[in-house]
Amino acid sequence: MKWEVPVVDHAELRRLCREKQEAAIVSCLASLKGLSLDQALSLYYRSALARQINEGKYGIDNLDPAYLAEDLIENEPDLF
């Protein structure tokens, strides 16, 4: 039996990982601050963190979503 390695679209893989990370951050924000998911999503997408993740800056895509949610709360208190 011969194994074939599937072709991986790295851009698509990065996009999917970023989406999963962002969903986890939003969920953590909602839990930590007692917000609805809609409220947490709105706050997240207005944050500098969302822009940094979207731009792939600082290796943020390798960090734990719970840590990033706590960091957002601490460093962007004006959003809350």
Side-chain angles (χ1 to χ4, degrees), residues 28-67:
C28 287
L29 283 175
S31 178
L32 290 169
K33 297 301 276 183
L35 304 169
S36 71
L37 289 175
D38 287 340
Q39 291 170 320
L41 188 66
S42 177
L43 291 171
Y44 170 73
Y45 279 110
R46 289 187 292 161
S47 73
L49 176 63
R51 288 187 294 282
Q52 292 168 348
I53 289 174
N54 189 50
E55 294 168 2
K57 288 189 172 182
Y58 314 116
I60 289 175
D61 55 332
N62 297 314
L63 298 176
D64 180 63
Y67 167 80

Side-chain angles (χ1 to χ4, degrees), residues 3-35:
W3 291 91
E4 291 189 32
V5 177
V7 176
V8 176
D9 180 348
H10 292 285
E12 179 67 8
L13 184 58
R14 279 191 301 275
R15 185 189 67 75
L16 291 171
C17 289
R18 184 173 46 240
E19 282 181 10
K20 183 177 178 181
Q21 182 185 42
E22 289 178 324
I25 292 169
V26 169
S27 178
C28 287
L29 283 175
S31 178
L32 290 169
K33 297 301 276 183
L35 304 169

